Amino acid sequence: MRRRNTEFYKLVKDILINKEFNKLKDIRHHGITRYDHSLRVAYYTYIVSKKLHLDYVKATKGALLHDFFIDEVSSMDGLSRLRKHPEFAIINAKKYYDLSPMEEDIIKTHMFPVTFTPPKYLESWLVDIIDDVASVYERSYSFKNQYASTVGVLLIMFFTYMR
């Protein structure tokens, strides 16, 4: 993400300085941190929604808060975690911010169709799609790096043994 996009950072500054939100920096998510994942989804939402002349302010903030949960789902299995985490993200977001109906819908429906409720707004659909694309990218990039790291370690061990 470009640091030079000052408008984006002005929009999300109050979220990025939130102490609770910053706890997401310590939680792994798709091979990166949940903080970095949320920031990526928000940034691309900002870019695309602005180009499409949508409500980029609400879309960006909703996108940044879409995975704002800490450890509420840590004991759940995979499918339950996928279905329930938007509810916890809304609860956490409402503790610190007044959410518009659109921002709430973005958070609530970003896992459609897993969560069954379809998005009401174009901006919600956009965040759902961008989140999916970002997740696939992050998982594949993480897998590629894990594979490359494993191969690297094996090569080092092999050449060390061959000496």
Side-chain angles (χ1 to χ4, degrees):
M1 281 168 275
R2 290 185 226 143
R3 270 280 186 203
R4 285 178 262 173
N5 199 323
T6 54
E7 182 184 29
F8 170 75
Y9 285 99
K10 282 181 184 176
L11 284 177
V12 298
K13 181 182 176 187
D14 62 325
I15 299 171
L16 296 180
I17 62 172
N18 179 293
K19 183 178 157 187
E20 287 300 304
F21 188 80
N22 274 275
K23 289 181 180 179
L24 300 181
K25 289 179 178 179
D26 299 323
I27 301 170
R28 300 302 294 167
H29 190 82
H30 307 305
I32 61 173
T33 67
R34 190 170 300 143
Y35 179 94
D36 289 335
H37 166 75
S38 297
L39 195 59
R40 174 178 280 130
V41 173
Y43 183 74
Y44 286 110
T45 296
Y46 165 78
I47 296 295
V48 175
S49 61
K50 194 166 182 175
K51 285 192 185 296
L52 294 175
H53 304 287
L54 299 174
D55 188 338
Y56 68 91
V57 174
K58 290 177 184 162
T60 301
K61 288 183 177 184
L64 188 56
L65 294 167
H66 83 280
D67 277 343
F68 185 20
F69 62 99
I70 310 300
D71 53 0
E72 295 90 345
V73 297
S74 59
S75 63
M76 295 180 183
D77 65 54
L79 186 58
S80 294
R81 184 178 306 139
L82 289 175
R83 286 193 177 141
K84 296 296 265 178
H85 83 266
E87 294 172 32
F88 295 115
I90 288 173
I91 291 167
N92 285 335
K94 282 182 169 183
K95 285 180 191 174
Y96 303 99
Y97 307 101
D98 292 324
L99 300 179
S100 69
M102 180 187 290
E103 291 163 336
E104 195 168 329
D105 187 66
I106 287 168
I107 298 167
K108 182 172 119 183
T109 63
H110 80 273
M111 290 301 297
F112 179 77
V114 174
T115 53
F116 305 121
T117 306
K120 293 179 186 173
Y121 304 93
L122 225 62
E123 291 85 348
S124 303
W125 282 102
L126 181 65
V127 173
D128 183 33
I129 292 165
I130 290 174
D131 180 46
D132 291 344
V133 171
S135 297
V136 169
Y137 168 78
E138 290 158 2
R139 285 182 184 272
S140 65
Y141 187 78
S142 172
F143 176 75
K144 182 174 66 175
N145 282 345
Q146 287 174 337
Y147 176 75
S149 296
T150 303
V151 169
V153 168
L154 290 174
L155 286 172
I156 290 168
M157 290 171 56
F158 174 76
F159 286 115
T160 301
Y161 177 75
M162 294 302 291
R163 284 186 166 183

